[in-house]
Amino acid sequence: MQKTVVINVVGLTQRLIGEHTPFIKSFLEKGKAATIAPVLPAVTCSAQSTYLTGKHPSEHGIVGNGWYFKEECEVKFWRQSNKLVQAEKLWDKLKKKNPNFTCANLFWWYNMYSTTDYSVTPRPNYLADGRKIPDIYSHPTELRDTLQSNLGTFPLFNFWGPKTSIKSSQWIADAAIETDKQHNPTLNLIYLPHLDYNLQRYGLNFDIIAKDLQEIDTVVKQLVGYYESQDANIILLSEYGITNVNNPIHLNRILRKEGYINIRTERGLELLDAGASKAFAVADHQLAHIYLNDKALKSEVKKLLQSVKGVEKVLSDNEIVDAKLNHHRCGDLVVIADANSWFTYYFWLDDKKAPDYARMVDIHKKPGYDPVEMLINPKDKLVLLKVAWKLLKKKLGFRTVLDIIPIDANLIKGSHGRIPEDKVDYPIFITNNKEKIEKENIEPTEVCAILEQHILN
């Protein structure tokens, strides 16, 4: 078996490779590349699960970054257990062929309780006094302590939230190299999220994102240089491309105005009561699952959503089958935005009644994806002073919340999840092993077999 590394450069597309990414450009020119037809939805968890199983979401069950857990009547995003992926993984296939095969997973999703030999993923400590302390989960357990002893604490607040920066991707790259030096796995899976941040904040504004491209290019150069010295197959790939948007759509507000949404009011603030609602949306970038507790409403809800400006398609029944999303976790309807639009999770009609988590970084409480968590309120001139004061109070042991996130979806300028019109915005697959790529365009379900071929050599 041939040592192989797969570097997942989130958001990387042909459009972004150029003057600001000189190393990635040279790697592309020396190697061979193919565009990957995006998974639907073109989001992190669905794409990664398809790449690592060779199956569609209809088979592996990862229909988005989150979905409605029907037995619990709760919407849950960003779960961690690998057992949620209901298909055989690449590393399990390879272990059957060679028991000496080993795999390290650095921050690819569904990282916990898998059958990889080495794994590392974000796992903060949630303390009783309300504080969230940066930390990681690892297998084996001692890897956590070794990495953070050698590299410092994982910079969680640079991984997601208003402080996102290259620091998190740099830490992951350093951790991958450290893990490889210690254990020398056959397959290394490395996740570099850096481009995801400002591309969503600012879209394809190269005056702003040029710095981000240069920063990730430097990290990729470090990793490639290290693994070239290990005589490894080196693959750069991405999960999706981010394109410009200017039209946020609040599907739950539309459903609420028609009487489909049920709301609970607690302490004067509103919460979505999914289990008691006739119909509600689970928004995930440019795709949303619509769950119906009353199935008889399907045709009228579909007709309503088809009339919404910015909605490109509303899939049902055989259309969901054709989209390879027919899994019991999927919504009864699937809504896809047009090129300029994306979906929020917002369900309140008055910002004064928005739930407390709306103004916080709280990925596990929100019943949908919220990219606005990467921003602070630009209209609040004192926001940085407020942050400093709140952090000081936390350190002194006082309970307080970092309610600094704006409720303004118009601030977001880039999104993903649908299939882009232009192939230069498709995800990309680049390898230094030219013989393993036979086509210029590959299906997402083919990625797994191509990775396997690299390792089996």
Side-chain angles (χ1 to χ4, degrees):
M1 287 188 163
Q2 178 70 33
K3 187 178 182 68
T4 299
V5 58
V6 184
I7 305 171
N8 181 354
V9 186
V10 176
L12 186 67
T13 61
Q14 187 67 55
R15 187 185 296 278
L16 299 179
I17 299 174
E19 62 176 308
H20 304 301
T21 56
F23 181 80
I24 294 175
K25 182 181 178 183
S26 68
F27 186 81
L28 170 63
E29 291 168 347
K30 293 174 185 175
K32 195 168 183 181
T35 57
I36 307 172
V39 181
L40 188 71
V43 299
T44 296
C45 296
S46 301
Q48 289 184 10
S49 296
T50 295
Y51 292 170
L52 294 176
T53 65
K55 304 294 183 182
H56 293 287
S58 57
E59 299 168 280
H60 60 60
I62 306 303
V63 298
N65 292 324
W67 55 85
Y68 180 53
F69 284 65
K70 297 174 183 177
E71 297 85 355
E72 300 179 57
C73 294
E74 291 184 9
V75 176
K76 296 183 180 182
F77 268 66
W78 307 112
R79 312 316 292 167
Q80 290 271 36
S81 172
N82 192 258
K83 298 181 190 302
L84 290 168
V85 185
Q86 298 174 339
E88 186 179 39
K89 288 81 178 181
L90 172 62
W91 52 82
D92 290 322
K93 296 178 186 177
L94 290 167
K95 282 178 184 287
K96 289 178 181 177
K97 294 183 177 181
N98 187 335
N100 294 319
F101 168 86
T102 55
C103 178
N105 182 347
L106 274 293
F107 283 71
W108 284 51
W109 214 252
Y110 299 119
N111 197 305
M112 293 173 64
Y113 315 118
S114 80
T115 49
T116 54
D117 301 275
Y118 313 101
S119 61
V120 187
T121 196
R123 193 66 168 177
N125 301 152
Y126 294 96
L127 305 188
D129 63 4
R131 286 180 295 158
K132 181 166 64 175
I133 305 298
D135 206 342
I136 55 175
Y137 179 95
S138 75
H139 175 80
T141 305
E142 57 269 20
L143 182 58
R144 163 184 172 264
D145 299 324
T146 300
L147 290 177
Q148 294 195 122
S149 174
N150 293 344
L151 305 175
T153 302
F154 171 64
L156 177 72
F157 301 124
N158 301 107
F159 183 76
W160 186 250
K163 288 181 65 180
T164 51
S165 74
I166 193 63
K167 289 182 180 179
S168 59
S169 291
Q170 183 65 68
W171 194 98
I172 294 168
D174 293 340
I177 292 172
E178 188 76 17
T179 301
D180 189 78
K181 287 178 178 178
Q182 291 181 33
H183 302 289
N184 191 28
T186 318
L187 173 62
N188 287 268
L189 301 169
I190 305 171
Y191 177 74
L192 302 179
H194 183 58
L195 292 182
D196 213 25
Y197 307 142
N198 274 348
L199 281 168
Q200 290 189 70
R201 288 181 180 121
Y202 306 112
L204 295 167
N205 184 337
F206 282 87
D207 291 339
I208 296 176
I209 66 171
K211 179 175 180 287
D212 301 279
L213 291 166
Q214 293 160 8
E215 288 173 334
I216 202 66
D217 192 62
T218 300
V219 175
V220 170
K221 182 179 180 180
Q222 172 196 3
L223 285 168
V224 171
Y226 171 78
Y227 285 102
E228 280 181 339
S229 72
Q230 304 295 304
D231 194 30
N233 286 321
I234 302 171
I235 296 159
L236 306 183
L237 58 69
S238 56
E239 304 158 0
Y240 47 75
I242 294 175
T243 54
N244 293 330
V245 292
N246 55 28
N247 179 41
I249 301 173
H250 314 295
L251 292 175
N252 279 320
R253 289 177 174 172
I254 294 167
L255 293 170
R256 180 175 177 177
K257 288 176 182 177
E258 296 298 320
Y260 297 118
I261 296 281
N262 196 67
I263 295 294
R264 293 197 340 261
T265 301
E266 297 181 0
R267 297 176 297 108
L269 305 179
E270 295 181 341
L271 297 171
L272 174 68
D273 193 347
S277 296
K278 296 177 183 177
F280 62 93
V282 175
D284 198 352
H285 301 80
Q286 292 180 300
L287 182 141
H289 292 275
I290 308 298
Y291 294 92
L292 304 172
N293 287 317
D294 184 350
K295 309 296 183 185
L297 297 172
K298 184 185 291 186
S299 60
E300 65 181 72
V301 172
K302 181 175 182 177
K303 185 177 180 180
L304 169 67
L305 297 177
Q306 285 174 324
S307 69
V308 174
K309 180 184 177 182
V311 168
E312 183 175 79
K313 298 177 183 176
V314 182
L315 308 182
S316 62
D317 304 315
N318 288 335
E319 296 162 323
I320 291 175
V321 174
D322 292 341
K324 306 292 193 296
L325 279 168
N326 51 308
H327 189 276
H328 69 85
R329 294 170 177 165
C330 183
D332 300 282
L333 302 168
V334 175
V335 189
I336 301 171
D338 68 17
N340 297 316
S341 305
W342 66 281
F343 301 124
T344 78
Y345 78 96
Y346 298 176
F347 52 83
W348 57 91
L349 304 179
D350 180 352
D351 282 353
K352 293 178 181 177
K353 297 181 179 180
D356 57 359
Y357 57 67
R359 293 180 173 86
M360 298 172 61
V361 176
D362 204 335
I363 63 173
H364 298 302
K365 286 185 181 176
K366 294 180 181 180
Y369 173 70
D370 185 14
V372 188
E373 289 188 340
M374 290 187 290
L375 298 159
I376 55 177
N377 192 342
K379 296 177 183 178
D380 188 346
K381 303 302 182 184
L382 300 176
V383 66
L384 294 179
L385 286 174
K386 290 178 181 177
V387 171
W389 172 239
K390 287 174 179 287
L391 291 176
L392 176 60
K393 287 203 294 183
K394 279 181 175 285
K395 288 182 179 180
L396 293 173
F398 294 98
R399 286 181 179 265
T400 187
V401 293
L402 282 169
D403 51 350
I404 58 172
I405 305 302
I407 305 177
D408 184 2
N410 289 298
L411 294 170
I412 295 299
K413 303 301 180 185
S415 191
H416 58 92
R418 65 192 295 277
I419 309 301
E421 280 76 12
D422 197 327
K423 286 189 176 181
V424 299
D425 297 311
Y426 278 21
I428 196 166
F429 187 109
I430 313 171
T431 176
N432 65 345
N433 191 331
K434 298 181 180 182
E435 298 177 357
K436 303 304 181 185
I437 292 285
E438 299 176 353
K439 302 185 294 184
E440 293 183 358
N441 301 288
I442 58 177
E443 292 298 314
T445 49
E446 294 180 289
V447 170
C448 186
I450 296 171
L451 297 180
E452 185 175 359
Q453 290 164 15
H454 276 76
I455 297 159
L456 295 177
N457 206 27

